[in-house]
């Protein structure tokens, strides 16, 4: 079925991708420097036939033994707090890491997929966001290190496609949640769930009127797999169009956990996008894909996971 190199394979999305690839009969080389990844995310895969783990920083030259059919570049800090704490690593893995992983794909004649993001749309002036929207990004704000690195990564991917003929795919990933998110990564899903489970106030930033649209991880990973196996070179949104305000989301977490914790309002971080919702008509038409897991069901699974790790 082919051999895949998955960078960031010990992260939240990377580890779910490793699982899906193994379950579909692929061999998987999981590469991660573990600055935000966690070996526990893939410890159950170690020893499984066809799986190997290499601890490595993919901003350096990558040497990979043997043939490769797929390269998926998922290594990157991915939460606003992570990119504030690791701005240079974020820029490097999106730029140098994309260059190095594209180099491997070219050398091995492998198909390449870059994990891009809804952040390329910045604080969007078009709603919902369609792939042909070029975005509204502040290059010098705190989120610029992530947004611009991913925009550069898309440009580099298209350059390798056009100039070197590498077979490439670009997925723009919208807010995704599920088991294996880091409790302290600062994103809204782990923040609210861990606060609710500890009976601490749920910290809503701003007045909570900003919107997001949350996709359960298994839906997202299936969409990415279908995109990889399709012929589509241009960027494709994968996410769930079920949009809600952050305040509504906090109330949903309160309802599902049954916590009596109050909601606390804190200042809105700089450049926090006011609205976000993917237009997924392209993925629907091209990949016959759409998300299936309802929010309450996905959140229940995520809450069950967080019950096992909160407090550790
Ligand atoms: N947010 C919040 N409280 C938190 C963490 C996040 O209200 O404790 C808000 C944040 O300001 C943003 C939304 O939730 O409007 C989603 O934030 P997240 O960090 O998950 O990712 P983003 O979509 O901004 O990349």
């Amino acid at each position: 079925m082919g051999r895949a190199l998955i960078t960031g394979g010990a992260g939240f999305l990377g580890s779910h991708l490793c699982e899906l690839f193994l379950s579909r009969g692929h061999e998987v080389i999981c590469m991660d420097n573990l600055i935000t990844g966690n070996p526990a995310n893939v410890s159950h895969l170690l020893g499984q036939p066809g799986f190997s783990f290499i601890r490595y920083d993919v901003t350096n030259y990558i040497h990979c033994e043997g043939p490769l059919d797929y390269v998926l570049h998922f290594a990157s800090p991915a939460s606003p707090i992570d990119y504030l704490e690791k701005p240079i690593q974020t820029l490097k893995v999106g730029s140098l890491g994309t260059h190095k992983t594209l180099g491997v794909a070219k050398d091995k004649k492998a198909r390449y997929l870059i994990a891009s993001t809804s952040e390329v749309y910045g604080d969007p002036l078009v709603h919902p966001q369609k792939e042909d929207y070029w975005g509204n990004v502040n290059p010098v704000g705190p989120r610029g290190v992530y947004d611009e690195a991913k925009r550069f990564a898309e440009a580099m991917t298209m350059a390798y496609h056009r100039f070197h003929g590498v077979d490439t795919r670009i997925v723009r990933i919208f807010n995704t949640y599920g088991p294996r998110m880091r409790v302290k990564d600062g994103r809204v899903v782990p923040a609210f769930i861990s606060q609710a489970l500890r009976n601490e106030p749920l910290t809503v930033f701003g007045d909570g009127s900003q919107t997001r649209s949350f996709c359960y991880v298994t839906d997202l990973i299936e969409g990415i797999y279908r995109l990889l196996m399709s012929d589509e070179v241009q960027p494709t949104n994968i996410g769930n169009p079920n949009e809600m305000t952050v305040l509504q989301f906090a109330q949903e977490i309160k309802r599902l956990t049954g916590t009596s914790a109050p909601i606390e309002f804190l200042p809105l971080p700089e450049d926090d996008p006011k609205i976000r919702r993917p237009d997924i008509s392209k993925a629907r038409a091209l990949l016959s894909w759409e998300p299936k897991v309802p929010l309450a069901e996905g959140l229940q699974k995520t809450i069950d996971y967080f019950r096992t790790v909160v407090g550790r």
Side-chain angles (χ1 to χ4, degrees), residues 60 86 124 136 157 193 238 267:
N60 300 306
K86 300 176 176 73
N136 178 39
T157 301
I193 294 180
I238 299 285

Side-chain angles (χ1 to χ4, degrees), residues 80 143 175 186-188 191 203-205 210 212 246 272 276:
R143 302 171 86 105
N175 292 69
R187 279 186 283 194
V188 70
T203 53
V204 168
F205 297 162
Q210 69 274 33
R212 293 294 185 275
V246 166
D272 198 289
R276 181 180 292 156

